[in-house]
Amino acid sequence: MILSEHNKTADTLVRATAADGGVRCMAAVTTNLVAEAARRHHTSHTVAAALGRTLTGTLLLGAGQKEFDRLTVQIIGDGPVGGITAEANAQGQVRGYVRHPEAEVPLNADGKFDVRAVVGNGMFYVTYESGYEVGLYREPYRGAVPIVSGEIAEDFAFYLTKSEQVPSAVMLGVLRRARNSGETFVEAAGGVIVQVMPGADERTVAAIEAAVAGAPHTTALIREGAQPVDLLRAALGDVPFEVLDERPVGFACQCSHERAISIISSIERSELESILREDKGAAMTCHFCNETYRLDEAALERILVKSSEQ
Ligand code: ZN
């Protein structure tokens, strides 16, 4: 794993409450996992920002939910990136990919990466699945809203407010910096979600709204060494909060060499024989993490021998 140069601490996520449970909040520092995703997928600068914000938002969204095994967020727009997919589990592991990692657009009027332009207009989809690992698969929960901003944080906020009916403020950021060599790296990434539950005290909500509006950029704080609790303090201002738990988060994929073998083994025998004859091997690349698994001639022959034994 490649660590960013300024923040070598592990990525973590904190859940907290404020205003006697009337306010729920989640904050995460995700510099390392965003750097790993950008490195694995060879993303352009703007796509790294778009994918990093989506991965962070998905982890934070999952942290606010009690019962799910797998949470998938898909942002499908008509911009050059073509689509972003992030998948998180309840253990704080996340993986994700984009359709066109190389897509790039000019900086926006503020001189920032124009995430909105690379995403475009389209739909924001959320799917919660549970029970599939223990054979108690339940009907997944699905939500969909139009992309209202394309900057991603606003889209998570709109989704939470409209579809889950929990008014939420969402901040997501990815900061990249250039080395002297011109090569860039992810210097800071992270985010915060603050949610107002029904019946929350109005004065507290107003105080939080003012604090959120005036809070410095998440990535500016992380670059200075801020941890998730520091992000919450910045977002909540003077409103006291109670930390419920803190957990490590990271980029992790479920693919493996064994899974690649089992997928190849399920190919029809005649097709497998022609792959062996013509290609002398097979290679499979995982969408989610861009890892390539290669099976050489000998490995394919072993699979054929095994299948003829069955
Ligand atoms: Zn993978």
Side-chain angles (χ1 to χ4, degrees):
M1 187 162 71
I2 302 221
L3 300 182
S4 87
E5 294 186 326
H6 292 270
N7 183 0
K8 295 193 191 293
T9 54
D11 292 343
T12 48
L13 185 148
V14 160
R15 284 192 319 127
T17 61
D20 295 324
V23 171
R24 255 190 345 200
C25 32
M26 287 75 77
V29 172
T30 56
T31 309
N32 301 317
L33 72 89
V34 170
E36 183 170 356
R39 178 182 63 78
R40 282 181 172 274
H41 293 293
H42 310 290
T43 55
S44 70
H45 302 321
T46 310
V47 171
L51 176 60
R53 289 181 193 176
T54 309
L55 292 169
T56 305
T58 303
L59 277 172
L60 292 169
L61 184 62
Q65 288 291 332
K66 278 206 186 78
E67 290 190 7
F68 76 96
D69 295 321
R70 182 163 63 194
L71 161 62
T72 308
V73 172
Q74 277 191 298
I75 304 174
I76 310 294
D78 58 7
V81 74
I84 306 168
T85 301
E87 190 191 282
N89 62 23
Q91 290 76 50
Q93 297 177 320
V94 71
R95 57 182 188 165
Y97 64 95
V98 301
R99 185 120 186 247
H100 298 296
E102 74 293 344
E104 192 53 294
V105 291
L107 297 178
N108 65 19
D110 301 328
K112 301 248 172 76
F113 295 126
D114 200 344
V115 173
R116 184 192 305 260
V118 93
V119 169
N121 296 309
M123 292 296 288
F124 182 99
Y125 300 97
V126 174
T127 309
Y128 294 99
E129 293 164 280
S130 63
Y132 63 91
E133 275 171 357
V134 288
L136 294 168
Y137 191 76
R138 273 186 289 176
E139 196 56 34
Y141 169 86
R142 290 183 209 279
V145 291
I147 295 171
V148 287
S149 149
E151 289 288 341
I152 297 175
E154 291 87 336
D155 298 295
F156 272 93
F158 184 74
Y159 162 77
L160 280 163
T161 305
K162 284 287 162 191
S163 192
E164 298 195 14
Q165 316 228 315
V166 185
S168 305
V170 182
M171 289 165 271
L172 300 170
V174 174
L175 185 69
R176 283 178 83 95
R177 160 166 299 210
R179 289 193 179 90
N180 291 337
S181 63
E183 184 196 357
T184 63
F185 65 99
V186 175
E187 188 181 28
V192 179
I193 295 184
V194 179
Q195 305 190 298
V196 177
M197 310 313 285
D201 174 57
E202 277 178 35
R203 284 231 309 267
T204 312
V205 171
I208 291 172
E209 277 173 358
V212 165
H217 272 291
T218 308
T219 48
L221 296 171
I222 294 169
R223 192 174 149 194
E224 304 296 322
Q227 292 300 306
V229 280
D230 305 313
L231 303 181
L232 288 177
R233 206 161 285 132
L236 297 176
D238 296 332
V239 177
F241 59 91
E242 183 193 343
V243 171
L244 298 175
D245 57 51
E246 179 169 349
R247 70 177 90 155
V249 288
F251 188 99
C253 196
Q254 284 85 57
C255 66
S256 65
H257 195 74
E258 289 64 39
R259 281 207 186 182
I261 290 176
S262 93
I263 290 167
I264 301 256
S265 303
S266 68
I267 295 175
E268 211 171 298
R269 191 179 174 87
S270 58
E271 202 183 326
L272 206 52
E273 279 166 343
S274 90
I275 291 172
L276 179 60
R277 216 167 36 241
E278 285 156 30
D279 306 328
K280 314 276 184 219
M284 290 180 60
T285 300
C286 174
H287 274 312
F288 276 102
C289 68
N290 212 26
E291 195 76 40
T292 298
Y293 297 96
R294 291 179 204 287
L295 278 74
D296 59 12
E297 263 183 289
L300 289 183
E301 271 161 5
R302 275 198 298 276
I303 290 169
L304 280 168
V305 169
K306 241 191 186 164
S307 83
S308 62
E309 283 167 355
Q310 280 163 4

